[in-house]
Amino acid sequence: MARTTHLLYLHGFRSSPLSAKARQVAERVDSLRRQGTPLQWWCPQLPPSPREALALIEAGTSSWPTHGMAVIGSSLGGFYATVLAERRACRAVVLNPAVNPARDLAAYIGEQRFWHTEDRFYFRAEYVEELRTLAPQAIAEPSRYMAVIAKGDELLDWREMHARYQGAHIRLLEGGDHALSDFHAHLDAVFAFLGLV
């Protein structure tokens, strides 16, 4: 598999590029660049509207080469990463990915606060329908995916994630949590899957 030359990170619901996992990936990218590995990196702040989020992601990666691009997505970002990977046939690493966000986020309609700032946003009812519309059908090539799934995820059912990414390169963790607090322990495996080790 080709080495990744363009890497996208997509954060989860109520999260941001300030999340621990996003920062750890950014630090690893910086380290690789200092060692002479050319790597384009983008970690955008995603808007609350799924339709707008996908439009931003597609516009920002439209010039990226499919054979050299990859996406890492956490939780809702894992859902977006899957949508993008199915559309572009690129590699994806999903971290405790949301499998049915239209169902799961219906309970969060209303005002929400971002995890890493005091800023607030309103999650609208129509966003649930946008998620339903965006949902990809079956995954065409599971071998293009790596899924890191924690059985201890307190928000999402690991069995659903495991079933969704059947045939992918799966790291199924005993225990753990939704945030993947031990993500640093999986960075080497993630970057190896991306051809960056």
Side-chain angles (χ1 to χ4, degrees):
M1 212 175 262
R3 184 176 64 77
T4 298
T5 57
H6 295 68
L7 182 59
L8 171 67
Y9 185 94
L10 302 176
H11 63 75
F13 184 67
R14 295 176 57 199
S15 193
S16 76
L18 298 174
S19 76
K21 292 187 294 297
R23 291 198 317 268
Q24 288 172 47
V25 173
E27 287 164 10
R28 179 63 64 95
V29 168
D30 284 344
S31 174
L32 287 168
R33 285 171 164 171
R34 286 195 301 273
Q35 294 166 33
T37 301
L39 184 57
Q40 188 164 331
W41 154 253
W42 187 38
C43 180
Q45 175 67 57
L46 300 175
S49 160
R51 183 180 49 77
E52 290 176 16
L54 253 297
L56 174 70
I57 292 162
E58 292 207 304
T61 61
S62 61
S63 65
W64 289 16
T66 294
H67 66 277
M69 73 178 274
V71 55
I72 301 173
S74 173
S75 192
L76 181 58
F79 172 81
Y80 292 148
T82 302
V83 175
L84 183 69
E86 288 304 299
R87 291 181 180 181
R88 299 286 296 278
C90 67
R91 274 176 290 182
V93 177
V94 292
L95 313 170
N96 282 336
V99 170
N100 190 343
R103 177 197 66 199
D104 297 337
L105 292 178
Y108 291 86
I109 292 167
E111 190 176 69
Q112 302 292 333
R113 189 176 68 81
F114 288 104
W115 289 114
H116 308 105
T117 69
E118 293 302 312
D119 293 342
R120 295 179 178 275
F121 67 95
Y122 198 87
F123 190 72
R124 302 179 182 281
E126 57 261 34
Y127 296 166
V128 172
E129 190 53 40
E130 289 177 11
L131 287 167
R132 197 169 284 116
T133 301
L134 289 169
Q137 298 304 309
I139 289 172
E141 285 183 63
S143 62
R144 286 193 283 102
Y145 290 82
M146 175 182 187
V148 183
I149 299 168
K151 286 186 176 181
D153 190 318
E154 68 281 10
L155 297 179
L156 301 175
D157 186 339
W158 69 268
R159 295 169 197 83
E160 282 191 344
M161 295 185 256
H162 192 270
R164 175 69 164 149
Y165 293 91
Q166 201 70 45
H169 303 266
I170 293 179
R171 284 174 75 92
L172 186 59
L173 314 177
E174 296 296 334
D177 56 17
H178 183 67
L180 281 181
S181 300
D182 66 342
F183 180 60
H184 61 278
H186 309 289
L187 265 177
D188 286 349
V190 168
F191 275 74
F193 177 75
L194 299 175
L196 288 168
V197 171

